[in-house]
Amino acid sequence: NVVSSGLLLTRIRMSCLPIQGERRRISVLFADIENSTKLAMSHEPEDANLIVADVLRTMTESVEQQGGTVEQTRGDGIVALFGARSAHEDHAVRACIAALNMQRELAAMAESLSARAGMPIRIRVGVNSGDGLVRAASFDTPTNYTADGPTTNIAAKLEEHAQAGAVLVTAEVVRLVEGYIETRPCGTLR
């Protein structure tokens, strides 16, 4: 079929092109489960996956309630973008509210989750705001977005350094949420 072959050839050519992006002010949120490896090692895979799925669902719902987009789910955590799909002046506030809601919802579920897991289930969250190159994740799914650059990398590092049960944010986030979110200094990370 000539028409189908032509469409297939166009799709193949398009998939080889770089996906164009737009520079935008965004907030990036990384969140993951503390000690998820210990959880996986001490349970049957199906049981551990059910516990992790409940936590990931809570994280995703918190992000979506604030107009964010879950860019990816990575095993025991998520990466979320605020201000990527639609530009929002309050992207940092939305990201912080989502992070705080995650912590609150999981604290409310802590007793039942811990009983199922046989250990405390807590998450750590990092949020950063700044410029990011926002683009569709692929030609086939233009509704999925991704962001590259230092803003994303720093958010990932914050999540790694955050205490379980806490949300760690940058000075830029603190500046953007002033008057909306109460913060307290926790020192300098390098």
Side-chain angles (χ1 to χ4, degrees):
N1 185 334
V2 175
V3 174
S4 295
S5 297
L7 290 173
L8 179 60
L9 185 57
T10 301
R11 287 189 87 175
I12 291 170
R13 284 184 184 141
M14 287 181 69
S15 69
C16 295
L17 296 173
I19 300 173
Q20 297 300 311
E22 175 186 346
R23 185 180 181 136
R24 222 182 248 186
R25 297 290 290 171
I26 59 170
S27 289
V28 181
L29 178 151
F30 275 69
D32 80 348
I33 301 171
E34 177 193 43
N35 295 326
S36 61
T37 303
K38 182 178 176 184
L39 173 68
M41 299 299 286
S42 63
H43 288 75
E44 292 297 320
E46 297 84 3
D47 296 334
N49 283 341
L50 287 173
I51 294 166
V52 169
D54 285 345
V55 175
L56 294 177
R57 184 174 26 263
T58 299
M59 291 178 184
T60 299
E61 288 170 358
S62 295
V63 167
E64 291 174 349
Q65 287 169 357
Q66 294 303 314
T69 303
V70 174
E71 176 190 353
Q72 66 177 264
T73 302
R74 3 164 244 150
D76 66 342
I78 63 168
V79 180
L81 305 175
F82 295 82
R85 180 181 305 230
S86 301
H88 295 286
E89 285 185 26
D90 62 346
H91 54 85
V93 172
R94 291 169 182 256
C96 287
I97 291 172
L100 293 169
N101 285 345
M102 282 178 204
Q103 294 291 15
R104 188 184 71 243
E105 291 296 320
L106 288 168
M109 298 166 56
E111 191 174 320
S112 67
L113 280 175
S114 295
R116 287 170 51 204
M119 58 187 273
I121 299 295
R122 299 182 306 177
I123 64 169
R124 54 188 182 203
V125 183
V127 179
N128 187 29
S129 296
D131 289 337
L133 185 62
V134 177
R135 56 188 167 80
S138 72
F139 286 111
D140 293 334
T141 56
T143 57
N144 293 336
Y145 292 87
T146 188
D148 297 316
T151 301
T152 301
N153 298 338
I154 291 170
K157 293 297 180 190
L158 287 172
E159 177 265 316
E160 290 173 10
H161 287 89
Q163 297 291 321
V167 178
L168 193 58
V169 302
T170 60
E172 177 63 9
V173 172
V174 170
R175 186 184 70 74
L176 292 170
V177 302
E178 188 176 1
Y180 298 97
I181 306 286
E182 187 176 321
T183 63
R184 64 179 160 83
C186 63
T188 302
L189 284 176
R190 295 198 183 279

